[in-house]
Amino acid sequence: DIQLTQSPSTLSASVGDRITITCRANQTINGWLAWYQQQPGKAPKLLIYQASTLESGVPSSFSGSGSGAEFTLTISSLQPDDFATYYCQQYHSYPSTFGQGTKLEIK
Amino acid sequence: EVQLVESGGALKQPGGSLRLSCAASGFTFSIYVMNWVRQAPGKGLEWVSAITGSGSTAYYAESVKGRFTISRDNSKNTLYLQMNSLRADDTAIYYCAREEVLDYWGQGTLVTVSS
């Protein structure tokens, strides 16, 4: 199975900050990577797919990059609604797998 | 509007069985891969199972293989998860989600396995 490792596990930041979350796979996944945001008590929401394609309706402050086995999610200017937990997911092959999550907290 | 509505969650004893349902609307159900994803209390997301649009092929996480069975009824636009030999570590919110890239999610249904 493909393992995904996210870093950091927790990130403290302020409104207006630029942040980056990294997701590393233990083998190449050729860009078949998605990012999700989950607010407490809610279902996850798709943000980015194919490593860098922004889902419709997602603010342009979110961006994704990377290839091979290393990927990043960047939020260019944090807004209050962005404080949540973020997950990466690979859909290169089954079983699909998620990273362990990154909790973005207000500093 | 795409909608996914899970149901069937309950409190079950270890070793018991349960069937979850996910009613889909707002899209052509039969052409999409569908998934089950779960989240244990306070934990991260775990992909559980997927099934192709025709229902001919299913995939499972190792943790549920041999105990859970995914199926679908395209005439009823409904996805199922038959859960047997339930264990305490199956306790979680179970979400259904559309496509390999999980573009739409239901609100989830809670399964609690406890004696």
Side-chain angles (χ1 to χ4, degrees):
Chain A
D1 299 0
I2 297 174
Q3 296 175 14
L4 299 181
T5 303
Q6 285 182 235
S7 60
S9 295
T10 307
L11 180 56
S12 296
S14 302
V15 172
D17 283 355
R18 177 186 179 92
I19 66 98
T20 297
I21 299 169
T22 299
C23 179
R24 291 186 175 89
N26 64 350
Q27 64 184 79
T28 183
I29 54 174
N30 293 331
W32 300 109
L33 186 102
W35 290 97
Y36 301 86
Q37 177 193 67
Q38 188 178 32
Q39 299 285 2
K42 299 288 184 67
K45 171 187 173 184
L46 175 65
L47 299 174
I48 287 167
Y49 60 96
Q50 276 181 258
S52 60
T53 303
L54 201 64
E55 173 71 342
S56 176
V58 174
S60 58
S61 56
F62 290 87
S63 63
S65 65
S67 61
E70 184 157 335
F71 303 87
T72 59
L73 171 71
T74 299
I75 309 174
S76 60
S77 179
L78 283 171
Q79 300 302 304
D81 282 352
D82 298 337
F83 292 93
T85 300
Y86 293 85
Y87 296 92
C88 57
Q89 176 226 0
Q90 67 81 18
Y91 52 102
H92 171 271
S93 59
Y94 288 111
S96 181
T97 47
F98 288 93
Q100 82 278 16
T102 295
K103 186 175 183 180
L104 178 56
E105 300 179 330
I106 299 175
K107 186 184 290 184
Chain B
E1 177 193 7
V2 172
Q3 283 200 315
L4 299 170
V5 180
E6 302 94 336
S7 61
L11 171 62
K12 302 296 288 185
Q13 291 193 335
S17 296
L18 192 64
R19 189 177 82 157
L20 305 183
S21 299
C22 170
S25 60
F27 64 101
T28 305
F29 180 71
S30 62
I31 67 173
Y32 284 92
V33 169
M34 295 296 296
N35 302 264
W36 288 99
V37 176
R38 69 184 181 183
Q39 188 168 36
K43 303 297 184 183
L45 300 172
E46 180 186 16
W47 177 87
V48 172
S49 183
I51 188 168
T52 55
S54 65
S56 61
T57 306
Y59 305 91
Y60 298 95
E62 198 62 39
S63 59
V64 306
K65 201 174 289 184
R67 299 188 300 121
F68 290 9
T69 302
I70 192 171
S71 63
R72 63 193 298 159
D73 185 337
N74 287 342
S75 69
K76 295 181 178 179
N77 288 351
T78 302
L79 175 72
Y80 302 102
L81 186 67
Q82 178 66 42
M83 309 166 67
N84 297 332
S85 303
L86 284 164
R87 310 186 307 216
D89 61 359
D90 294 320
T91 294
I93 296 172
Y94 285 74
Y95 297 100
C96 64
R98 190 183 81 163
E99 266 288 38
E100 288 98 337
V101 55
L102 309 166
D103 58 355
Y104 286 93
W105 296 64
Q107 84 289 349
T109 189
L110 177 62
V111 174
T112 303
V113 183
S114 175
S115 55

